[in-house]
């Protein structure tokens, strides 16, 4: 079956522009996560969805970041007024939620470059 | 303030030998630990995990050891193979509820030399 897919794979944008990143989780997975990996850093947790609701937005770095999930499936992460420090690989993961110990399945990521 | 630390950015091991990757953590509320492997331009893939109620978990060539008193875990790969060359991330889950996101270390780049 298909894994987690993300689009676009690469995005180059100018400082101040808005960007939207998309994640298609594995079919049937109810939990969805967004992370980002800046150069030389580990993965940084951004936001978690259970179904369409986001019980945990604690990792969003600023109010320029928002995310939504519709139909319990596709999610979009939006970054408004991008800054150079937003440059990173944005990774999406999903899990079937049979308990908190389920491993998360990651997509290939979107590499965002803000000029 | 890093809660999960992988102090070795890289590790070079000869093919056939044992690779040992280390991870330290500071948050005593972590109750579940995972290792992920990442190839360039791909997302991380799950490798092996361990619950805090255990001190060892084995899966084929991969074994994870957990020392709760030392807040330390390690991943052993034996024998190491060329396909094991990748970045390995240690990750942990907080039992305190709230965030279900994992806390990751910065990763260790394992290089298996022929």
């Amino acid at each position: 079956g298909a894994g987690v897919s993300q689009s676009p794979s690469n995005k180059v944008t100018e400082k101040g522009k808005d960007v939207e990143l998309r994640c298609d989780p594995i079919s049937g997975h109810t939990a969805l996560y967004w992370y980002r990996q800046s150069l030389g850093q580990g993965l940084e947790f951004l936001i978690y969805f259970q179904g369409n609701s986001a019980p945990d937005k604690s990792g969003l770095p600023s109010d320029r970041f928002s995310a939504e999930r519709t139909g319990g499936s596709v999610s979009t992460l939006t970054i408004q007024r991008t800054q150079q420090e937003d440059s990173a690989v944005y990774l999406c993961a999903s899990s079937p939620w049979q308990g908190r110990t389920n491993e998360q399945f990651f997509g290939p990521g979107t590499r965002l470059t803000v000029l | 303030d890093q809660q999960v630390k992988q102090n070795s950015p890289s590790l070079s091991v000869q093919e056939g030998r044992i690779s040992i990757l280390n991870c330290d953590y500071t948050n005593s509320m972590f109750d579940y630990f995972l290792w992920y492997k990442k190839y360039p331009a791909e997302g991380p893939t799950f490798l092996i995990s361990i619950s805090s109620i255990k001190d060892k978990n084995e899966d084929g060539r991969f074994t994870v050891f957990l020392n709760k008193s030392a807040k330390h875990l390690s991943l052993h790969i034996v024998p190491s193979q060329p396909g094991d060359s990748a970045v390995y991330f240690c990750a942990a889950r907080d039992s305190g509820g709230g965030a279900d996101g994992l806390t990751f270390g910065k990763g260790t780049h394992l290089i298996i030399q022929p």
Side-chain angles (χ1 to χ4, degrees):
Chain A
V4 178
S5 62
Q6 293 185 244
S7 60
S9 55
N10 279 284
K11 176 73 178 177
V12 179
T13 190
E14 292 179 348
K15 179 182 170 181
K17 301 275 191 182
D18 298 351
V19 295
E20 270 192 7
L21 312 179
R22 177 187 167 107
C23 171
D24 280 272
I26 293 172
S27 177
H29 281 195
T30 58
L32 186 146
Y33 309 80
W34 283 98
Y35 294 84
R36 74 175 175 181
Q37 185 181 15
S38 302
L39 192 62
Q41 302 297 313
L43 280 71
E44 174 191 2
F45 169 71
L46 298 179
I47 189 169
Y48 152 66
F49 287 91
Q50 180 60 29
N52 289 340
S53 64
D56 186 2
K57 303 180 182 180
S58 63
L60 293 177
S62 78
D63 58 9
R64 296 185 296 104
F65 288 72
S66 63
E68 64 176 18
R69 188 180 186 196
T70 54
S73 182
V74 170
S75 176
T76 54
L77 176 69
T78 301
I79 310 173
Q80 294 179 309
R81 304 180 304 281
T82 52
Q83 303 294 312
Q84 287 181 332
E85 62 262 28
D86 300 334
S87 296
V89 176
Y90 289 81
L91 290 153
C92 174
S94 69
S95 74
W97 189 252
Q98 291 168 1
R100 297 184 67 250
T101 58
N102 260 13
E103 66 263 24
Q104 297 171 16
F105 297 82
F106 282 83
T110 293
R111 180 175 295 278
L112 175 66
T113 304
V114 182
L115 301 176
Chain B
D1 176 27
Q2 273 218 291
Q3 297 187 62
V4 176
K5 298 177 186 177
Q6 294 178 256
N7 291 320
S8 299
S10 67
L11 176 67
S12 184
V13 174
Q14 258 194 319
E15 182 179 356
R17 302 280 193 127
I18 183 170
S19 295
I20 301 176
L21 296 99
N22 293 304
C23 178
D24 296 288
Y25 62 96
T26 58
N27 187 340
S28 57
M29 297 299 287
F30 286 150
D31 67 343
Y32 196 73
F33 303 89
L34 307 90
W35 284 93
Y36 279 84
K37 175 180 178 179
K38 185 180 184 303
Y39 293 119
E42 294 183 11
T45 54
F46 171 74
L47 198 54
I48 192 169
S49 62
I50 189 167
S51 164
S52 60
I53 62 172
K54 293 186 174 182
D55 55 17
K56 177 182 175 181
N57 188 26
E58 193 171 350
D59 183 3
R61 297 186 298 114
F62 303 91
T63 304
V64 56
F65 296 92
L66 175 62
N67 182 333
K68 274 189 72 176
S69 60
K71 293 192 175 68
H72 177 84
L73 63 156
S74 60
L75 174 68
H76 292 212
I77 306 172
V78 56
S80 301
Q81 298 175 354
D84 297 331
S85 295
V87 177
Y88 289 78
F89 290 99
C90 172
R93 171 162 284 148
D94 191 329
S95 68
D100 278 274
L102 297 171
T103 302
F104 281 82
K106 291 186 178 182
T108 296
H109 185 193
L110 177 64
I111 301 160
I112 305 301
Q113 299 194 334

